[in-house]
Amino acid sequence: MTLAPYASHADRSRGRLHAEEGGAARGPRDAFQRDRDRIIHSIAFRRLRHKTQVFMAPDGDHFRVRLTHSLEVAQIGRTIARALGLNEDLTEALCLAHDIGHPPFGHAGEDALEAAMLKVGGFDHNAQTLRTLMRLETPYPHWDGLNLSWETLEGLAKHNGPILEPGWALAEANAAFPLELTGWSSLEAQVAALADDIAYDNHDIDDGVRAGLLTVDQLMEVPLVAQGWAEVTARCPGCSEARLRSELIRSQIGLMVNDLIAETRRRIAEARVASVDDVRAAGRTLVGFSDAMREAERGLKRFMYANLYHHPSQLAAAEFARRIVSGVFAAYAADPALLPAEWSAGLPAEEPGRSRHIADFVAGMTDRYAIARYREVVGPIDLPEGF
């Protein structure tokens, strides 16, 4: 595939933090393909299988988790990248890695770590993604981290836009390998950010209905969904609600993707972008929805927060999750000897390194592992309904 002039080209990469030898012996992959493969083969990526997306440690096999969400984001991201002539491999790497820094229990776990780390700089899952990929993963003999390309790390740091005041973890990553945090990211990173939104906007509807927390009748309050439902019921008369719901999700994803592609092409043409440097100098996001779709998508998000993410059962589960994460962090902080041997051996003697080291361990836990460790180092706990 011929890339657009404003796409990221692997042969023009700014390189890696650590020089590598013997690359040709490991197959005919370019820099971004290697990044994608390193992410997929990492322990941190595998752990996403048991980390919360919406529902915490779900018993049902059909609910999405961070791993399946990341795969769905990557599929949507590649589709958009291909249509725009962007680098699919870089886009895929960014989509697959974007949630690697999430602690157990999603945003509830992040809130607990943020509170526990307040006096030593706090916690941010986006920055933790960089910390994990640049320091905590250690599969190579001569350096820490996966030694990903500059473009992949820059995209992960800035996929939501320029960063004017980085927290401590991102500041450390940037000091080690300057990522031009105050500038705009590549189009591939911008695509990854919107692919994430498209994926969870729609797939969380499916999981919410499956869990019994949302109904199709409720969803008709959202104009975007109501219009889509009318169209799919007209196309598929006599189909069951479950089949119609699946068709709705597919159609709505397609609608959002097509809108984003058309609007992004318009913005690129308007800005007269002809290179990656032009993208970074554009002074604004170039990948985005049309005004009408942006307002429709925001309406959907408002509905989902009010009716799913802030559903009483979800709020109760989140409180339980915060108790788990806060409890294990406090136990390890009070007695670091409780840490596994490989973690206690590397524990810094002083703050803030001491707390940050403990947070690295806790953030890497899966939901189930965190529950098991709580029982081990804190005490018995009864799981609420839904776990």
Side-chain angles (χ1 to χ4, degrees):
M1 175 182 170
T2 301
L3 297 180
Y6 41 74
S8 298
H9 292 247
D11 59 357
R12 302 174 198 167
S13 170
R14 300 192 194 185
R16 304 181 188 278
L17 178 59
H18 305 285
E20 298 185 10
E21 298 179 357
R26 297 186 180 179
R29 297 168 297 164
D30 66 30
F32 302 150
Q33 291 168 341
R34 290 180 190 277
D35 285 356
R36 175 202 59 209
D37 296 349
R38 291 176 185 192
I39 290 162
I40 289 174
H41 288 282
S42 70
I43 292 173
F45 184 73
R46 293 198 292 275
R47 283 199 297 258
L48 295 178
R49 178 188 175 199
H50 292 300
K51 289 196 175 190
T52 292
Q53 176 58 23
V54 174
F55 298 99
M56 299 177 188
D59 290 330
D61 293 333
H62 297 173
F63 291 106
R64 288 164 177 85
V65 292
R66 286 284 164 188
L67 180 62
T68 56
H69 165 70
S70 298
L71 294 172
E72 290 170 342
V73 174
Q75 178 269 324
I76 292 170
R78 286 198 71 124
T79 297
I80 297 168
R82 182 175 300 178
L84 294 172
L86 303 180
N87 193 298
E88 293 182 47
D89 298 310
L90 175 58
T91 304
E92 184 178 24
L94 294 168
C95 291
L96 291 171
H98 80 283
D99 270 352
I100 272 180
H102 260 294
F105 308 115
H107 292 286
E110 181 169 9
D111 290 343
L113 279 180
E114 168 66 19
M117 297 273 288
L118 196 58
K119 294 182 179 179
V120 292
F123 179 88
D124 172 72
H125 78 267
N126 283 323
Q128 190 69 16
T129 292
L130 273 291
R131 186 169 169 84
T132 301
L133 296 175
M134 294 179 70
R135 293 187 56 172
L136 303 181
E137 286 284 317
T138 56
Y140 297 102
H142 302 304
W143 57 74
D144 291 339
L146 300 185
N147 202 31
L148 301 178
S149 70
W150 185 91
E151 288 75 12
T152 297
L153 295 173
E154 182 243 9
L156 290 169
K158 302 180 339 194
H159 62 279
N160 289 323
I163 299 172
L164 303 181
E165 298 180 2
W168 67 269
L170 191 51
E172 280 189 354
N174 188 60
F177 199 9
L179 299 172
E180 299 179 0
L181 295 181
T182 59
W184 293 87
S185 63
S186 66
L187 291 175
E188 287 82 1
Q190 295 179 36
V191 166
L194 270 295
D196 183 25
D197 282 2
I198 293 170
Y200 75 72
D201 279 344
N202 292 287
H203 295 147
D204 290 358
I205 291 175
D206 188 37
D207 281 355
V209 174
R210 189 184 300 278
L213 302 188
L214 297 177
T215 67
V216 170
D217 286 344
Q218 277 181 293
L219 286 161
M220 293 306 102
E221 297 174 21
V222 184
L224 178 67
V225 179
Q227 179 182 342
W229 187 255
E231 291 172 357
V232 300
T233 52
R235 288 202 307 269
C236 311
C239 287
S240 68
E241 182 181 290
R243 293 192 183 214
L244 289 171
R245 189 172 72 246
S246 295
E247 181 66 13
L248 170 72
I249 300 303
R250 285 192 295 273
S251 297
Q252 199 159 273
I253 290 173
L255 185 68
M256 288 184 170
V257 166
N258 288 335
D259 179 274
L260 184 144
I261 291 169
E263 174 63 15
T264 300
R265 285 174 174 159
R266 187 194 68 78
R267 293 184 188 183
I268 288 171
E270 180 182 71
R272 298 182 180 179
V273 169
S275 69
V276 176
D277 289 339
D278 288 345
V279 171
R280 293 199 167 94
R284 65 187 181 104
T285 301
L286 296 173
V287 177
F289 297 122
S290 66
D291 290 345
M293 180 58 75
R294 183 175 65 252
E295 288 306 308
E297 192 262 352
R298 287 175 177 172
L300 173 57
K301 273 189 168 65
R302 286 193 294 269
F303 172 88
M304 295 296 282
Y305 272 95
N307 294 279
L308 178 61
Y309 307 138
H310 292 166
H311 188 282
S313 67
Q314 290 291 86
L315 295 178
E319 181 57 37
F320 175 84
R322 285 189 286 269
R323 177 183 170 192
I324 294 289
V325 173
S326 299
V328 294
F329 183 96
Y332 292 129
D335 185 3
L338 295 172
L339 288 164
E342 64 271 24
W343 281 89
S344 60
L347 183 72
E350 305 293 335
E351 295 289 8
R354 183 184 178 94
S355 289
R356 292 172 180 177
H357 184 82
I358 294 170
D360 287 337
F361 177 56
V362 176
M365 293 179 176
T366 63
D367 297 4
R368 296 174 185 182
Y369 186 78
I371 293 169
R373 295 289 70 76
Y374 184 96
R375 287 171 169 158
E376 176 184 67
V377 302
V378 179
I381 191 168
D382 294 325
L383 301 185
E385 185 178 354
F387 271 74

